[in-house]
Amino acid sequence: MSKTKLIINKNGSIKIEGDFEIMDSEGAVYGLQGRSALGLCRCGLSANKPFCDGGHRNNFEHESIAFDLPPMKTN
């Protein structure tokens, strides 16, 4: 099995690659038809949510530059 990767595309989708499954909030699994890579919408403009259909073109801007999160809070 390959390690799952999420790639935050500049001005676009979140690309997911590897061995994964995607479920809705009720736990039902989406039928991905054997895909090992696809794009997830993060702009809200896709007619095929949660999947990217390219609806963001020229309507969504986000510079995707990696950064470190602050340490997790402990109680």
Side-chain angles (χ1 to χ4, degrees), residues 5-39:
K5 285 198 250 183
L6 296 172
I7 302 157
I8 312 302
N9 289 317
K10 179 180 178 181
N11 301 329
S13 66
I14 298 172
K15 184 177 181 182
I16 183 169
E17 297 178 337
D19 183 32
F20 58 89
E21 67 179 5
I22 299 175
M23 291 182 263
D24 68 14
S25 62
E26 302 297 319
V29 177
Y30 286 89
L32 303 178
Q33 308 306 316
R35 288 173 175 81
S36 61
L38 55 79

Side-chain angles (χ1 to χ4, degrees), residues 17-75:
E17 297 178 337
D19 183 32
F20 58 89
E21 67 179 5
I22 299 175
M23 291 182 263
D24 68 14
S25 62
E26 302 297 319
V29 177
Y30 286 89
L32 303 178
Q33 308 306 316
R35 288 173 175 81
S36 61
L38 55 79
L40 297 173
C41 176
R42 66 182 181 117
C43 71
L45 299 173
S46 176
N48 196 30
K49 287 188 251 348
F51 306 103
C52 179
D53 68 359
H56 62 271
R57 286 190 185 92
N58 302 317
N59 293 309
F60 179 74
E61 292 185 24
H62 178 261
E63 188 71 28
S64 56
I65 299 172
F67 60 91
D68 292 335
L69 292 174
M72 291 177 51
K73 294 180 181 180
T74 57
N75 293 338

